[in-house]
Amino acid sequence: MPCRVAHLTSVHYAFDTRIFHKECKSLAMAGYDVTLIAPHADGDQNLDGVKLRAVRPPRHRRERMTSTIKAVYQAAVQENAEIYHYHDPELMPIGVLLKLHGKRVIYDVHEDYAGTMKGKQWIPAVLSGPASVAVDLCEATLARACDRIVAATPTIADKFKPARTRLVRNFPLLHELQSPSALPYDQREPIGMYVGWLGDEHGMGTMTTAVELAAKQLPVKLLIGGKVIPGANARFAEGGEHELVKYLGFLSRPQIAELIGRSRVGMVTLLPTGNSVNAMPTKLFEYMSGGLPVIASDFPVYRSIVESAGCGLLVDPNDPAAIAEALVWLLAHPSEAAEMGRNGLRAVAEKYNWEHEAECLISTYEELQPAG
């Protein structure tokens, strides 16, 4: 009989890229019996070898922290899997309970959650510091009950005991974002793009100002896709459409591939807040996987990737004029920009791809699989 495993989330979209499309599908392809328990309004499904067991999506944060967590736990117990793999810090008490039931438990740490407390717009500034300390303490204490920690970045991995921690980075699937309808680079419109969470700390305001400055020198537009964080003050979301910035809403993976295939530049100019400075931004690797040159914040982690690959330009994310200058240069030098895009694509093919990370994930499961 295949080893039964269950992935648990109360926060993420049921078809989250890391959880469903990368981890669950990779495990199913490796022969595991995989169930994902997640909020989903359309009920249970069976897709690509993964069984989705739906719980009712929460209407607000308070309901998520009470009813949703309870529903996830009840479904997890009923599933009676051998290995449980949870993806949200708020599910750590569930991990402890499952461990007490004699189960193997994995905690998948997507972010430095203590660091993100300082950037949460719904937390009053005076409470962000104490909240960060509390999250750090709870995580360090409750993670001891886990058999393995799966960390998305080296910085996160360094927070936990090496013997139980495995690095599984959130690199892109090799060919997922290479659209068959992609235009030749020199035939594309002067479009910069950004896809991801949309909030003030993600540089929405500075990107908008940068496009306005760049537009004084040559034609340019910025196309944005993703979910707006409640409370964000980004101008494009304040009713009406900005003349140079178009918000496309939440985009599916094929829609992201299509947008990459008609854009000239990928923007990754996150501000130095929360844990962004030490993060490995998924969108950077996704742009690279689609052959798109990037403009990225000049943080040490970003710099090591962009400079070694030769795939774009680095800027001060707080300086709209610097971002505009980089944007104008890439648009005015299409041959050099296209070469940067090819360099990024080559780096993903050789180094920054999910296929390699999937091997690390599967070997982690092999360590925990019960004998026989």
Side-chain angles (χ1 to χ4, degrees):
M1 292 288 292
C3 179
R4 290 169 54 84
V5 304
H7 282 243
L8 316 177
T9 180
S10 55
V11 175
H12 293 83
Y13 169 57
F15 300 108
D16 175 84
T17 303
R18 177 177 174 87
I19 299 173
F20 180 82
H21 289 287
K22 294 178 181 175
E23 294 186 341
C24 287
K25 288 168 67 172
S26 294
L27 289 166
M29 289 178 64
Y32 288 85
D33 183 343
V34 183
T35 297
L36 169 61
I37 299 171
H40 186 57
D42 296 330
D44 296 351
Q45 294 185 25
N46 195 325
L47 185 64
D48 294 332
V50 179
K51 291 171 287 186
L52 171 62
R53 184 163 182 175
V55 300
R56 191 179 72 179
R59 292 168 293 183
H60 43 69
R61 185 177 292 109
R62 184 174 57 199
E63 186 173 272
R64 192 190 81 204
M65 298 296 292
T66 54
S67 302
T68 304
I69 290 178
K70 180 180 179 181
V72 169
Y73 176 64
Q74 290 173 336
V77 171
Q78 292 168 5
E79 192 62 32
N80 194 29
E82 295 162 276
I83 300 175
Y84 287 88
H85 186 145
Y86 66 90
H87 294 266
D88 313 307
E90 63 193 44
L91 297 181
M92 296 188 82
I94 287 180
V96 174
L97 292 174
L98 291 169
K99 186 62 182 173
L100 291 174
H101 281 86
K103 304 298 184 179
R104 312 289 175 93
V105 178
I106 298 172
Y107 174 31
D108 198 318
V109 195
H110 296 205
E111 301 180 54
D112 176 1
Y113 294 110
T116 62
M117 290 297 105
K118 299 174 182 178
K120 296 288 187 184
Q121 293 167 316
W122 54 273
I123 298 179
V126 69
L127 298 178
S128 63
S132 177
V133 172
V135 169
D136 210 15
L137 180 61
C138 288
E139 191 173 57
T141 302
L142 297 180
R144 294 173 185 170
C146 299
D147 295 281
R148 292 292 183 273
I149 306 294
V150 167
T153 73
T155 301
I156 295 170
D158 288 343
K159 296 177 60 178
F160 300 96
K161 291 185 179 297
R164 292 185 295 116
T165 304
R166 303 293 180 266
L167 180 62
V168 180
R169 293 164 292 191
N170 205 22
F171 293 156
L173 292 154
L174 268 175
H175 304 294
E176 182 193 20
L177 297 178
Q178 296 173 16
S179 172
S181 62
L183 295 171
Y185 190 83
D186 59 0
Q187 296 179 21
R188 301 180 186 183
E189 295 181 53
I191 293 172
M193 67 167 285
Y194 172 90
V195 174
W197 286 104
L198 310 177
D200 301 336
E201 69 271 24
H202 298 91
M204 297 296 101
T206 50
M207 276 194 282
T208 299
T209 301
V211 170
E212 292 168 348
L213 293 172
K216 295 178 180 179
Q217 301 183 54
L218 44 66
V220 61
K221 281 193 175 183
L222 177 63
L223 302 184
I224 295 176
K227 290 186 177 181
V228 179
I229 295 175
N233 295 315
R235 276 174 279 170
F236 72 88
E238 290 184 343
E241 185 178 309
H242 189 283
E243 181 182 356
L244 300 174
V245 181
K246 184 176 182 180
Y247 174 49
L248 304 175
F250 179 78
L251 301 179
S252 67
R253 304 300 287 175
Q255 288 173 323
I256 294 173
E258 187 275 334
L259 180 56
I260 289 176
R262 64 188 180 97
S263 298
R264 295 269 293 275
V265 182
M267 309 291 289
V268 203
T269 53
L270 280 68
L271 302 183
T273 59
N275 68 342
S276 62
V277 173
N278 295 315
M280 299 182 75
T282 303
K283 61 183 65 64
L284 170 60
F285 299 111
E286 291 183 339
Y287 298 152
M288 292 165 63
S289 75
L292 201 61
V294 302
I295 297 175
S297 301
D298 191 5
F299 303 151
V301 175
Y302 295 31
R303 186 186 310 124
S304 67
I305 297 163
V306 173
E307 287 188 344
S308 65
C311 63
L313 302 177
L314 297 161
V315 296
D316 177 353
N318 286 307
D319 186 351
I323 300 172
E325 182 181 355
L327 186 56
V328 168
W329 191 93
L330 288 172
L331 294 175
H333 298 82
S335 296
E336 292 90 338
E339 180 63 23
M340 289 179 178
R342 289 190 291 270
N343 290 342
L345 182 59
R346 186 180 308 112
V348 168
E350 295 175 353
K351 185 176 181 180
Y352 303 118
N353 61 77
W354 172 254
E355 283 72 6
H356 176 267
E357 301 305 302
E359 295 176 5
C360 301
L361 176 69
I362 292 166
S363 66
T364 300
Y365 270 72
E366 289 173 348
E367 295 169 3
L368 298 182
Q369 201 167 173

